[in-house]
Amino acid sequence: MTSEKKWRLPVEAYTSQEWFDKEQELLFSKVWQFAGMLEDIPNVGDHLCVRAGLQPLIVVRGEDNELKAFYNICRHRGTELLRTTGKSKKMIVCPYHHWVYGLDGELKSVPSQKEFPGLDKSQMGLHPASVTAWKGMIFVHPEVDAPPLSEWLADLPDHMGPHQPEKLVEYDGVRYQYDIKANWKIFIENYMDGYHLAHLHADTLNMYEHKSQRYTYAGRHWTFFEPLSKSYKKNLHKVAPMPVIDHIPDENIGAYVHMLFPNFGITETEVGWTTLNITPIAPNRTLVDIRVRTMPMTTTQYNSGWMRWSKWSKVQEPNPDADDPLESHDVMLEDIYACEQQQSAMRSPKFEVGAVAETLERSILEYQAHYLDFMEK
Ligand code: FES
Ligand SMILES: [Fe+2]
């Protein structure tokens, strides 16, 4: 990696269809991608669909209870086999001409089989891909002989918080999906931007001590930590907006934030464990799917928590319906506002990145170097 301190990506990287297509082929088809949580497919025959760049994949829980991944492409004429996350299928049946595959991917039956003299069913199973799980999360890779996820993660596990996501719960309805009018890399760069925390989020993230933030790279993955502010930590159990996670030792409490290269965020805090799956849809459009796990709590506890927090911090409770996102007191809406403004500014010939903060924005330049390693191949 060079030590050059300049923005490495041209405007076209955020705006052109050509870059977008190239990313699908050279980047997203070549890396491990988040597919879902283990609890999404608990039983034999449960399945989910996911794209890894140009590759449509399915993950199935097989008869042996193990996860299997296959290309979601019928071996007859390529029709997509499954469309959504679903429950206990015994077989995978192509909707077009009803070729039937087992949960192990083998081709079991073909209607009017005498129409296909010489068809060797044993050679016509679904193309396999790689799948593995880590901390309750399922990851897929389009290549069947992909290097193991553990190798790809490098020493990232050493930088994770002491959180045990399997001990936390994801409530129905606590899932946030945002359709953002910005390139996916703008969202990622904002996620890693340590400079804006004290400014754009002056009110909403003031429970953390931004001055003590630190980050490093584990392999290609960005990993960040900042402690709680002193006054918040002192009053934590009385004022936290949600029940404090009970298995984090006091001395380790803080915000652990990670970006698994290239597009999957994990945020571990004193009250929550959150995944952010960031999916590029078009050069100027990105879907962000956020799932949150917390300590078990009642609705009343949730509502009174925010009231208590708001009273103590003198910051209004989040209001996602506010007309002005900058008045919403909602961290995500503040970030989306900043991302969409940046995307929109890129249409002007006057747009340029005028300067980069030496330490607080450096992580973005490092991310861009990793990105270009794939794109310049
Ligand atoms: S395309 Fe699948 S059975 Fe024909
Ligand atoms: Fe932010």
Side-chain angles (χ1 to χ4, degrees), residues 190-191 193 196-197 200-201 205 331-332 334-336 338:
N190 169 72
Y191 186 85
D193 174 345
H196 80 298
L197 299 174
L200 180 66
H201 306 308
L205 286 183
V331 181
M332 190 62 189
E334 292 170 344
D335 279 331
I336 291 173

Side-chain angles (χ1 to χ4, degrees), residues 105-226:
E106 276 181 27
L107 178 60
K108 302 283 186 209
S109 69
V110 169
S112 313
Q113 202 184 326
K114 57 179 179 317
E115 290 275 335
F116 302 91
L119 176 81
D120 180 357
K121 291 215 288 289
S122 71
Q123 298 302 306
M124 296 296 275
L126 297 178
H127 291 297
S130 295
V131 61
T132 194
W134 175 57
K135 278 185 176 281
M137 299 172 280
I138 303 170
F139 292 88
V140 290
H141 193 298
E143 289 158 25
V144 69
D145 51 0
L149 179 73
S150 54
E151 208 174 281
W152 173 244
L153 293 177
D155 57 339
L156 182 66
D158 300 341
H159 296 274
M160 299 297 287
H163 301 66
Q164 297 174 39
E166 67 282 6
K167 291 195 175 157
L168 305 173
V169 279
E170 179 181 341
Y171 285 104
D172 280 351
V174 188
R175 185 163 180 166
Y176 305 91
Q177 284 168 320
Y178 299 94
D179 192 337
I180 300 175
K181 294 190 271 316
N183 184 270
W184 66 280
K185 296 186 294 300
I186 291 185
F187 186 84
I188 306 258
E189 288 166 354
N190 169 72
Y191 186 85
M192 295 186 300
D193 174 345
Y195 187 25
H196 80 298
L197 299 174
H199 307 292
L200 180 66
H201 306 308
D203 281 346
T204 42
L205 286 183
N206 61 6
M207 63 284 257
Y208 302 111
E209 197 177 273
H210 304 312
K211 277 202 288 267
S212 306
Q213 64 176 277
R214 56 175 196 259
Y215 82 90
T216 186
Y217 270 81
R220 297 194 184 274
H221 318 289
W222 172 84
T223 170
F224 168 103
F225 175 80
E226 61 182 2

